[in-house]
Amino acid sequence: MEQSAAEQPSPPTPEQQERALEREIRRRTIVSFILFFLLGVAAVMGFRWLKGHPQDAGVQAPLRSVLNANEKIFDKTLSDGHLAKTYPVSAAATHVRVNGDVGMSPNFDPNTWKLRVIRAARDTLFLTLKDIQQLPKTEIVFDFKCIEGWSQVTHWAGVKFSDFVKQYHLDAQAAMKYVGLRTPDSAYYVGIDMPSALHPQTLLCYEMNGKPLPLNQGYPLRLIIPVKYGIKSIKRIGTMYFSDQRPPDYWFERGYDYFSGL
Amino acid sequence: MKKIVTKHPLAIRWNHWINFPVLAVMIWSGMLIYWANDVYKIRLGGTILFKFFPESVYRALGLSYKLAQGMAFHFVFMWIFFLNGFAYVLYTLISGEWRSLVPNRHSFREAWQVLLHDLHLRKASPPASAKYNGAQRIAYSSIIVMGFGSLVTGLAMYKPVQLHWLCAALGGYESARVIHFILTIGYCLFFLIHILQVILAGWNNFRAMVTGFEVVKGPEHRGMAVNEQGLVIPPEEPLTTERPTIEK
């Protein structure tokens, strides 16, 4: 069969062109807006799914995975050469902010306190405050940063954790990935990755503003770790132990980042 | 005769609409974080004019005691915010779209005319000679600079010891936090004006951000010539004076 020339459509009139254009506009608008709407619904559903997702240590599991991945990216920036900025002693606050009393049970007897250093199973070292004060003393004045968002320039002194490790021959222990610290009542506890613990500004601290630590600042011994938020600077250390797994961490269990490095 | 004219490329529409919910999550989670140390106030002399934020705001939006939640969301969605912004900048640079976005030497005078017109202080509307007018060029370029500012101040606060040089360059830890906060207020103000302008500009303009096309009447489109198929002839010759940025 042959297509006859008579069947060829005549050129569209301006009205037909206008109508075709309107149809085209309507079609493209509707398609785009349906897609737009569906993507919007998907975004809202995705967010609700994320918010309602079962938790891993106090935070939605997918968020926790990303926080752990963030650590793997940003712990590369940690270096013994990167020091927290230090200040002259005159810049230090005289009224030092006290934040948090978990692990500070009132029935604590500082006179019988000893630091327990668990070197291995059934191999525990007990140290008095005097023992620790025998070690080389280091002072630091730095801007203490709380995870809540405030910071304060404060003055501390004690022994560098790295010096402590050297003096007590804890090299085998320091070769592990983490150090765990907890209060005598085990109510507060932190885990610190070893590179941060061995950072030259990390102190086992027994003095604040040139005097023994006040009881509410962790007398007899606390941690001062400027490369982390204050939540890691545990007060009143009772026990120290070493591990290749993450030691339990009080605020981690409540949804915070494990690394919490600055 | 009406014409369908392509206005916004697909990539820019995706970047624009991804940014909206992501920035909303960043501001919400940022407020959960800010709540834990909500020290900023607007003071005039000794009197406090406004406190960020009144207790009623926290209560109404359910923002209290959720610092951990806020940090978790903030440090996850920061990646999307960053990647989306990065993709946008990269696309505008490669595609040449930046030419219609970056302010030129006429933009500030034109923006002033737009402002006077929008405030009904000036009758004549400024000549619409390009995709964006001077006020838009300034606003849309500023928002990118602000996004970059949020990124670097955020990074400085996130790693103030490891990135101490960045923190110091921004005036220190506290200063980075203040700048980060002010930029966020800036986004909220931008959003309000943006919404108002979109409403005033009307359906055709809004539809273009979703569909990518705009319907124009007549053979001319913002001073650009249109061929028989209704397609805009690329403004090579006529617009060279409109693009002083590429002149030497």
Side-chain angles (χ1 to χ4, degrees):
Chain A
M1 290 236 261
E2 236 170 65
Q3 296 271 323
S4 74
E7 279 177 20
Q8 282 220 331
S10 53
T13 62
E15 288 72 34
Q16 282 172 321
Q17 273 186 330
E18 180 93 33
R19 271 201 299 279
L21 186 70
E22 289 294 346
R23 268 200 304 278
E24 177 67 4
I25 292 169
R26 184 162 335 129
R27 189 186 64 79
R28 286 177 62 177
T29 303
I30 289 172
V31 168
S32 288
F33 270 85
I34 286 174
L35 256 172
F36 183 65
F37 176 76
L38 290 177
L39 286 168
V41 170
V44 171
M45 280 170 59
F47 187 73
R48 291 171 74 118
W49 169 84
L50 189 55
K51 268 208 94 184
H53 201 280
Q55 301 209 329
D56 173 5
V59 69
Q60 293 83 348
L63 298 182
R64 176 61 79 197
S65 319
V66 179
L67 293 183
N68 289 338
N70 285 352
E71 169 175 345
K72 289 214 172 64
I73 294 167
F74 285 100
D75 71 357
K76 305 276 181 300
T77 62
L78 180 77
S79 149
D80 284 358
H82 292 170
L83 300 176
K85 188 184 171 192
T86 53
Y87 296 79
V89 172
S90 58
T94 44
H95 295 284
V96 180
R97 194 157 166 175
V98 179
N99 215 46
D101 56 1
V102 184
M104 312 292 278
S105 323
N107 55 1
F108 169 70
D109 181 7
N111 300 316
T112 60
W113 173 89
K114 274 186 178 139
L115 176 67
R116 296 171 63 216
V117 182
I118 303 175
R119 288 184 289 204
R122 287 178 301 281
D123 174 19
T124 303
L125 182 69
F126 288 92
L127 299 174
T128 63
L129 183 57
K130 280 232 170 61
D131 295 331
I132 293 163
Q133 285 168 333
Q134 302 289 310
L135 304 177
K137 183 171 163 184
T138 301
E139 288 191 44
I140 186 167
V141 182
F142 79 108
D143 191 29
F144 184 101
K145 293 177 178 67
C146 178
I147 202 160
E148 291 172 358
W150 54 266
S151 65
Q152 190 180 35
V153 176
T154 42
H155 176 200
W156 312 89
V159 56
K160 280 185 195 174
F161 185 84
S162 56
D163 285 345
F164 178 82
V165 162
K166 237 178 275 160
Q167 299 285 336
Y168 282 98
H169 307 291
L170 299 169
D171 310 84
Q173 288 76 6
M176 297 177 117
K177 283 187 182 145
Y178 295 95
V179 53
L181 300 165
R182 59 174 183 256
T183 54
D185 62 4
S186 295
Y188 196 78
Y189 38 92
V190 297
I192 315 267
D193 55 285
M194 200 57 75
S196 297
L198 294 173
H199 185 273
Q201 291 179 311
T202 304
L203 303 183
L204 291 169
C205 160
Y206 47 78
E207 270 181 24
M208 185 180 87
N209 287 336
K211 295 192 203 75
L213 283 176
L215 209 52
N216 65 6
Q217 287 288 358
Y219 180 86
L221 190 72
R222 72 172 296 170
L223 189 71
I224 283 293
I225 180 159
V227 293
K228 303 252 184 226
Y229 280 121
I231 50 171
K232 295 285 190 181
S233 288
I234 180 176
K235 295 187 251 189
R236 195 188 284 175
I237 302 170
T239 305
M240 177 190 297
Y241 60 102
F242 304 88
S243 165
D244 274 327
Q245 313 300 323
R246 280 178 169 180
D249 188 278
Y250 184 86
W251 287 111
F252 169 73
E253 290 165 7
R254 283 154 184 79
Y256 289 86
D257 179 32
Y258 194 92
F259 187 60
S260 288
L262 294 170
Chain B
M1 174 91 185
K2 282 187 192 172
K3 304 253 188 286
I4 294 177
V5 179
T6 301
K7 189 177 183 188
H8 300 300
L10 185 66
I12 285 187
R13 282 178 281 145
W14 272 92
N15 291 144
H16 173 268
W17 288 111
I18 287 173
N19 192 58
F20 172 57
V22 169
L23 189 57
V25 170
M26 288 306 278
I27 293 174
W28 163 74
S29 55
M31 283 181 78
L32 298 183
I33 296 170
Y34 174 75
W35 169 87
N37 184 36
D38 60 338
V39 289
Y40 301 145
K41 302 170 180 73
I42 297 177
R43 249 190 260 263
L44 187 69
T47 48
I48 294 166
L49 295 181
F50 188 78
K51 179 186 182 301
F52 296 100
F53 291 91
E55 196 52 43
S56 55
V57 172
Y58 296 126
R59 213 176 309 118
L61 299 174
L63 301 175
S64 309
Y65 302 102
K66 288 178 185 164
L67 172 61
Q69 200 50 178
M71 294 182 89
F73 272 95
H74 215 68
F75 299 146
V76 171
F77 279 76
M78 67 176 187
W79 290 112
I80 312 177
F81 179 76
F82 162 64
L83 291 173
N84 188 53
F86 187 70
Y88 176 83
V89 171
L90 210 61
Y91 178 81
T92 48
L93 287 180
I94 291 170
S95 68
E97 278 287 315
W98 65 272
R99 288 197 187 89
S100 55
L101 279 159
V102 175
N104 55 36
R105 66 191 151 123
H106 306 299
S107 294
F108 290 91
R109 186 168 40 88
E110 196 179 310
W112 178 246
Q113 292 167 354
V114 171
L115 181 70
L116 292 181
H117 175 71
D118 288 354
L119 294 173
H120 298 276
L121 297 172
R122 186 179 189 273
K123 271 242 171 65
S125 74
S129 58
K131 184 168 175 181
Y132 298 120
N133 67 39
Q136 285 175 304
R137 282 172 184 263
I138 292 167
Y140 302 159
S141 297
S142 305
I143 208 81
I144 296 303
V145 175
M146 286 165 69
F148 181 73
S150 292
L151 216 65
V152 293
T153 49
L155 205 54
M157 268 188 286
Y158 190 50
K159 300 292 160 192
V161 177
Q162 307 311 326
L163 304 178
H164 53 90
W165 51 272
L166 184 64
C167 198
L170 294 163
Y173 187 68
E174 301 290 336
S175 155
R177 193 175 191 254
V178 174
I179 300 170
H180 201 73
F181 185 84
I182 291 171
L183 287 171
T184 310
I185 300 294
Y187 296 136
C188 297
L189 296 175
F190 174 91
F191 178 75
L192 291 178
I193 296 168
H194 189 54
I195 292 295
L196 187 72
Q197 294 283 30
V198 167
I199 291 171
L200 292 175
W203 169 246
N204 198 25
N205 172 69
F206 174 73
R207 178 176 57 190
M209 207 43 179
V210 177
T211 64
F213 70 82
E214 199 172 34
V215 179
V216 295
K217 287 193 181 97
E220 294 275 305
H221 173 54
R222 295 198 185 94
M224 296 180 200
V226 177
N227 65 14
E228 292 79 10
Q229 283 83 46
L231 296 171
V232 173
I233 295 166
E236 292 301 340
E237 290 308 310
L239 275 187
T240 42
T241 52
E242 291 293 329
R243 300 186 304 188
T245 39
I246 55 169
E247 286 172 8
K248 284 275 149 151

